[in-house]
Amino acid sequence: MRFLALAGRRLLAAVPALLIILAGLFLLLQLAPGDTVDALVAQMGGGDATLIAQLREQYHLNDSVSMRLGDYLWRLVHLDLGHSAIYGKPVAVVIAERLPTTLLLMGSALSLAFAFGTVLGLLAARRVNRWPDTLISILGLIFYATPSFWFGLMGIFVFAVWLDWLPAGGYSSIDAQLSGMARVLDIAWHLILPTVTLALIFMAIYLRVMRAAMLEVSTQDYVRTARAKGVGETAVVVRHILRNSLLPMVTLIGLQAGTMLGGSVVVESVFALPGLGHLAYDAVVQRDLNTLLGIVFVSALLVIAINFIVDLLYTRLDPRIAAGR
């Protein structure tokens, strides 16, 4: 029961945060120059005053900001994300077409960063102040300090242009009609460079956190007690040190979910991936307010869901939380 109560409190606490995010972004976008009608008129190559007035009336741009905000939140309660002025179809449909690409990119990059960050951090902690620790720390610093778009561009130049090993961009091959496992492998082949590019910076953070956690846990009394009882070093590392060192790593997944969504904007733009990041960039440039707010709404839900799952995992790794201690 305590576990379910904890999960319920986490979900209830996320509702006001979601409303504040959406309202804040809506009001912030009102300060930006231009609006949806300006973008539409620019795409059409111009328009007379009558047409512009009709479009402003159609998109309710003549209403006050408070009225438009209230109308949007009311529609949101009914799960209506509105209509995309640029794409000419419901925002929910536009996002549903792009969401799988972003989820696949984020999931693969997060898994890669977490796995390699854990292993490298473990190796660095087990060889502290030796050459493996120094080499891993230097690599982590380089990966963390280098912008992701530079990794992406260099990856395209080296592995796509020079060596011709990997595709330079895109989500799948457009010149082949693939299905089944062949299509899955083709998509995986195209996502290698974007996944590695997005994962490198986060892997650097994970390995540093894992190294620090391993060194801290290694000094705890229960670790010394286990060794004094004659428990093997492998068992001590796996059962005592590694499990407790994973607690900050799991917490970091939830904290970095939003950051990884932001990083996907750059990566998807560099590799021309049809995901939410690229869609958000187009929505900002073309002033498609409904689409941009819909992306923020879905992204916020995604971050909340990831943090909720992280909280549940944390209670499994640390039973003291579920026990209310």
Side-chain angles (χ1 to χ4, degrees):
M1 291 298 295
R2 288 181 177 178
F3 178 79
L4 295 177
L6 177 64
R9 288 197 301 268
R10 292 288 191 270
L11 290 177
L12 289 176
V15 174
L18 181 60
L19 294 177
I20 292 173
I21 290 172
L22 291 173
L25 179 63
F26 186 93
L27 297 175
L28 185 63
L29 289 174
Q30 306 308 311
L31 302 177
D35 53 29
T36 303
V37 172
D38 294 332
L40 288 174
V41 172
Q43 284 185 349
M44 294 185 297
D48 56 21
T50 303
L51 176 61
I52 294 176
Q54 291 176 350
L55 290 175
R56 291 190 179 279
E57 185 68 26
Q58 177 182 346
Y59 291 107
H60 305 285
L61 295 178
N62 295 326
D63 298 339
S64 64
V65 175
S66 58
M67 288 181 60
R68 281 184 284 151
L69 176 59
D71 178 66
Y72 179 77
L73 293 178
W74 177 251
R75 286 190 287 108
L76 201 61
V77 171
H78 297 83
L79 300 179
D80 180 12
L81 298 180
H83 196 81
S84 173
I86 304 300
Y87 294 94
K89 48 187 173 181
V91 172
V93 175
V94 177
I95 293 178
E97 294 173 350
R98 305 293 189 98
L99 184 59
T101 302
T102 298
L103 291 179
L104 186 57
L105 176 63
M106 282 185 58
S108 56
L110 184 61
S111 301
L112 184 67
F114 187 86
F116 279 88
T118 301
V119 172
L120 292 176
L122 175 62
L123 292 176
R126 299 300 296 168
R127 299 293 185 270
V128 63
N129 296 327
R130 302 180 189 176
W131 70 265
D133 178 31
T134 303
L135 178 61
I136 292 174
S137 298
I138 292 175
L139 288 176
L141 181 61
I142 294 174
F143 292 154
Y144 182 74
T146 306
S148 58
F149 71 86
W150 189 88
F151 279 127
L153 294 176
M154 290 300 101
I156 292 174
F157 175 75
V158 174
F159 296 103
V161 178
W162 184 24
L163 299 176
D164 196 22
W165 288 354
L166 298 169
Y171 184 65
S172 60
S173 300
I174 59 176
D175 57 346
Q177 298 296 328
L178 302 176
S179 61
M181 184 56 63
R183 176 168 173 78
V184 172
L185 294 176
D186 182 63
I187 294 175
W189 187 247
H190 281 77
L191 286 180
I192 290 178
L193 275 180
T195 298
V196 174
T197 300
L198 184 60
L200 283 178
I201 293 179
F202 297 97
M203 184 187 69
I205 299 174
Y206 282 127
L207 73 87
R208 296 297 299 175
V209 171
M210 187 64 183
R211 177 184 181 275
M214 289 280 294
L215 294 177
E216 180 181 358
V217 173
S218 298
T219 61
Q220 298 299 314
D221 293 337
Y222 58 84
V223 175
R224 288 195 294 263
T225 301
R227 285 174 174 153
K229 290 181 178 180
V231 178
E233 186 63 20
T234 302
V236 170
V237 172
V238 174
R239 297 178 183 176
H240 299 282
I241 301 178
L242 182 59
R243 177 176 180 178
N244 290 280
S245 298
L246 286 176
L247 293 176
M249 296 282 285
V250 172
T251 303
L252 200 58
I253 293 177
L255 295 176
Q256 288 187 334
T259 306
M260 184 165 284
L261 270 174
S264 67
V265 176
V266 177
V267 174
E268 290 175 8
S269 298
V270 170
F271 291 97
L273 294 176
L276 286 185
H278 201 197
L279 180 63
Y281 173 78
D282 292 338
V284 171
V285 172
Q286 301 182 45
R287 300 290 293 148
D288 192 349
L289 183 61
N290 281 340
T291 301
L292 185 58
L293 288 173
I295 293 171
V296 173
F297 176 71
V298 173
S299 300
L301 288 180
L302 185 60
V303 172
I304 290 171
I306 292 175
N307 279 273
F308 178 69
I309 295 173
V310 166
D311 287 338
L312 299 184
L313 290 175
Y314 208 94
T315 58
R316 292 301 183 186
L317 291 173
D318 191 352
R320 294 172 298 179
I321 297 177
R325 296 177 182 175

